[in-house]
Structure formats: C-alpha cells, structure tokens
Amino acid sequence: MEKVLVELGFSVNEAKVYLALTELGASSATRISEKSHLHRPNVYESLIKLVEKGLVTNVVRDKVKYFETTDPENIITQI
C-alpha cells in the first residue's frame, strides 16, 4: 500500500505516517513515530504536509495533540 500512495504523489514518509494513522486511529506524534519507525521531527513534517493536503486533521485533548486521517476519499481529490 505504501508503494501505491507514493505513486499517487505522497512522499515515502507521508505514506508511512498516513498508513500508521489508518492502523492506529487518533494518535499522538509519539505513537505515530513508533508505529512508522520514523523520527518524530520527520513525523511532524509529514503530518504538517498531510494536514495542508486535507488528508489528516488534529485535535488537542488534555494538552496533547492527536492526529487522525480524514475521509480516505480525500485522496482522490488530491489526485
């Protein structure tokens, strides 16, 4: 699936972060980092780009920012 996302225009890190989020659901950057095996700065960079593309959203709960994917059909919009 990662390869497909890259072919659709995701960077490798964006694809890893997006797939980690789809498996985890709403998660902190730390959990995403652990799941995707990427360093947190790289996770944050990818999350920012995915938020800008409308593929990820975030919410703050108990002073912690949680990220989650938006409707997967938004990927089609990006193509």
Side-chain angles (χ1 to χ4, degrees):
M1 187 63 168
E2 182 179 323
K3 184 178 177 180
V4 172
L5 292 175
V6 171
E7 289 174 2
L8 292 174
F10 285 60
S11 71
V12 172
N13 286 352
E14 288 171 351
K16 288 180 181 185
V17 167
Y18 188 84
L19 291 173
L21 269 175
T22 59
E23 290 181 31
L24 293 170
S27 302
S28 67
T30 300
R31 286 196 64 212
I32 298 166
S33 175
E34 292 167 354
K35 181 73 175 174
S36 65
H37 303 289
L38 296 171
H39 295 289
R40 279 184 48 208
N42 295 334
V43 169
Y44 277 115
E45 181 181 327
S46 295
L47 286 168
I48 290 168
K49 291 177 184 176
L50 291 168
V51 168
E52 289 173 354
K53 292 177 181 180
L55 302 174
V56 170
T57 187
N58 62 72
V59 63
V60 177
R61 284 186 250 153
D62 299 322
K63 300 181 182 178
V64 177
K65 190 179 275 191
Y66 291 88
F67 299 88
E68 61 185 335
T69 59
T70 59
D71 187 341
E73 288 190 17
N74 289 339
I75 293 174
I76 295 169
T77 307
Q78 291 300 311
I79 310 174

